[in-house]
Amino acid sequence: MNFLSTIVTFDNLHEVRRLFHWGPIIALSVIAICSTMAILDSIIWYWPLDTTGGSINFLMLINWTVLILYNYFNAMFVGPGYIPLGWKPEHQQDTQYLQSCRVCQGYKSPRSHHCRKCNRCVMKMDHHCPWINNCCGHLNHAYFTSFLLLAPLGCSHAAVIFIMTMYTQLYERISFGWSTVKIDMSAVRQVQPLIPFSVPAFAATLFALGLALGTTIAVGMLFVIQMKVIIRNRTSIEAWIEEKAKDRIQHYQTGEEFIFPYDLGSRWLNFKQVFTWSGTPKGNGMEWPVHPKCHQHTLTIEQLKQKADKRMRSQVLYQAVEDYNGACCPVNKGLQTFFRTPCTEEPRIPLSKGDPILATRGTKWWMYGDKVLNEEQMRAGERVRGWFPRRCVEKCHYDTAASDGTSDKKVN
């Protein structure tokens, strides 16, 4: 009991709850189905105890499964690293360069952002991933990216096994008319398969093949995206901040020169910031090596400028002209609204006709903003913000800021 108590602590049990979410359930189900079917089919296709090739094939298959699960669970349970609650910088004067977080009751260190799903400020937050039910950030970025690499490799191997199993089992049963296609089956036909390849087995193999190919394509694309993030030492959120910085400088003609501070000028140096032999990324998650022309608060100062710009643009008042129930993909708001829904976990806010909304950003078919609340709701600290269809609102012409062409242009 003492041994178990040292391992299973309250915090550990709390983290185990991450498994009970649709993302990990689907991800682990796909891994289990592909791995189980690949093991069974490899026994049918290439018996591992009779040939060296069969043994290597089987061991590689087990190796993929172990490595995939190892990196997956580390990405989930190691987590991204969180800023301590109530954190303040060592030097009091640095607080003027940092954003504060009302929820965590402290300041956000450079590169950190508050995640509404985790309800904490996350170190070097890239995004919240529903498949691991956790954020991808400073401490687990290498594990997460390794999982994205290993999953397509393992699924590609499994797909080959599925295809070859179906081919070898159906080769003598069905004539495909492939007179020119000949594969040497002598090595794999030395023994009869221990598991009969029935119609249900064929259907299960075909289903697993579809999962393996789909996973290879989808997760492989995510791996490419993450590698672009890593070799530039720029998270997805920071790429968006940099884009807005250039837009702000160009729009207001300030003459500033914005240099992204965390790109060290070498892809290899950027790569080593995430991947290390020890598995632990460099740094403490609060202070970072920066470009020679920048300092620790270059990006946070830019964020404060953008936040001030956002407050100014938020004065553009809109009013709901149609009811909206908060659906992610509303079927009654037009095909473009349905298919162009924002690919984000940010909430949608239901609207009733006449509701006032302060819009801060948007796309051609959707807008993002805050509902204007009454005094009682504001005193209670309530805040309702999220996405809503653009067709459901129209600008209030009596708004004093509506005549500001700059604000109008920035929203639209």
Side-chain angles (χ1 to χ4, degrees):
M1 291 297 293
N2 291 334
F3 173 74
L4 288 176
S5 64
T6 60
I7 298 177
V8 185
T9 63
F10 177 79
D11 291 338
N12 298 142
L13 291 176
H14 177 74
E15 289 298 315
V16 169
R17 293 171 57 187
R18 293 188 183 278
L19 291 168
F20 302 99
H21 179 264
W22 63 265
I25 290 174
I26 293 176
L28 292 173
S29 297
V30 171
I31 295 172
I33 292 172
C34 291
S35 299
T36 302
M37 289 304 303
I39 291 173
L40 294 176
D41 282 2
S42 65
I43 294 174
I44 296 175
W45 168 54
Y46 211 166
W47 178 242
L49 299 181
D50 285 346
T51 63
T52 303
S55 300
I56 294 175
N57 172 70
F58 194 80
L59 290 175
M60 284 297 296
L61 186 60
I62 298 298
N63 179 66
W64 291 128
T65 304
V66 171
L67 289 177
I68 288 170
L69 290 176
Y70 172 79
N71 284 281
Y72 179 83
F73 286 124
N74 271 313
M76 178 186 292
F77 293 123
V78 169
Y82 302 106
I83 304 299
L85 296 174
W87 178 82
K88 294 181 180 180
E90 183 178 353
H91 303 291
Q92 183 64 28
Q93 64 268 24
D94 290 341
T95 57
Q96 63 181 313
Y97 307 124
L98 301 173
Q99 297 185 77
S100 61
C101 179
R102 291 183 297 176
V103 178
C104 297
Q105 299 180 349
Y107 288 89
K108 301 177 184 178
S109 69
R111 308 193 80 176
S112 68
H113 302 274
H114 186 84
C115 174
R116 286 194 295 268
K117 296 288 183 179
C118 298
N119 205 33
R120 289 290 299 273
C121 286
V122 176
M123 295 178 179
K124 204 189 82 170
M125 179 179 174
D126 185 81
H127 68 287
H128 184 92
C129 178
W131 305 110
I132 62 173
N133 194 21
N134 208 338
C135 280
C136 175
H138 175 58
L139 294 180
N140 65 350
H141 204 170
Y143 292 121
F144 180 75
T145 308
S146 298
F147 165 73
L148 296 183
L149 170 64
L150 293 166
L153 293 177
C155 286
S156 299
H157 185 188
V160 171
I161 293 175
F162 298 146
I163 293 171
M164 294 307 299
T165 300
M166 289 188 290
Y167 179 84
T168 55
Q169 294 300 309
L170 300 177
Y171 183 78
E172 294 180 348
R173 305 184 192 186
I174 303 174
S175 175
F176 291 98
W178 297 342
S179 57
T180 60
V181 179
K182 298 293 183 183
I183 301 177
D184 184 10
M185 300 297 176
S186 58
V188 298
R189 290 182 179 174
Q190 293 181 6
V191 295
Q192 292 297 321
L194 299 178
I195 304 173
F197 194 73
S198 58
V199 173
F202 172 78
T205 300
L206 196 61
F207 176 71
L209 175 62
L211 286 180
L213 293 177
T215 301
T216 300
I217 296 171
V219 180
M221 292 174 63
L222 294 177
F223 170 73
V224 172
I225 293 172
Q226 282 302 309
M227 284 307 300
K228 289 182 179 179
V229 165
I230 290 172
I231 62 177
R232 297 171 182 170
N233 204 8
R234 181 185 288 111
T235 67
S236 303
I237 296 175
E238 289 166 352
W240 174 239
I241 294 173
E242 183 182 24
E243 183 180 337
K244 290 193 294 183
K246 294 176 181 178
D247 177 68
R248 180 185 64 80
I249 293 171
Q250 182 180 6
H251 181 78
Y252 293 109
Q253 297 294 314
T254 61
E256 302 173 62
E257 180 188 12
F258 178 77
I259 300 174
F260 184 75
Y262 306 116
D263 188 347
L264 303 182
S266 166
R267 293 183 178 182
W268 176 241
L269 291 176
N270 291 337
F271 180 84
K272 290 196 297 182
Q273 290 295 308
V274 176
F275 290 95
T276 61
W277 289 112
S278 65
T280 304
K282 292 184 178 180
N284 60 5
M286 296 186 186
E287 295 182 357
W288 310 90
V290 296
H291 189 278
K293 294 184 179 180
C294 303
H295 55 82
Q296 286 293 322
H297 301 107
T298 298
L299 191 67
T300 59
I301 291 173
E302 174 59 33
Q303 288 177 265
L304 291 174
K305 292 179 180 179
Q306 292 180 11
K307 192 172 184 179
D309 184 42
K310 179 181 177 181
R311 279 196 296 266
M312 183 181 67
R313 291 186 285 111
S314 295
Q315 298 305 311
V316 180
L317 185 66
Y318 285 76
Q319 188 174 42
V321 294
E322 295 182 20
D323 292 337
Y324 167 56
N325 61 5
C328 180
C329 300
V331 296
N332 61 340
K333 300 301 179 183
L335 289 176
Q336 293 287 1
T337 302
F338 179 84
F339 288 110
R340 299 293 183 89
T341 183
C343 297
T344 172
E345 286 198 347
E346 290 177 313
R348 275 62 169 169
I349 54 174
L351 299 176
S352 298
K353 192 172 182 179
D355 284 346
I357 308 102
L358 290 172
T360 59
R361 53 190 166 101
T363 66
K364 186 175 181 180
W365 306 102
W366 289 80
M367 298 188 72
Y368 186 92
D370 293 72
K371 263 189 178 182
V372 178
L373 305 178
N374 56 43
E375 293 184 3
E376 183 178 348
Q377 291 173 314
M378 294 178 66
R379 282 196 299 267
E382 294 184 27
R383 188 176 186 182
V384 182
R385 61 176 177 174
W387 291 93
F388 50 89
R390 182 180 286 269
R391 61 173 287 175
C392 292
V393 298
E394 65 179 17
K395 187 184 297 184
C396 295
H397 298 290
Y398 54 82
D399 178 35
T400 56
S403 59
D404 187 350
T406 300
S407 300
D408 183 30
K409 182 177 180 179
K410 294 294 287 182
V411 173
N412 291 288

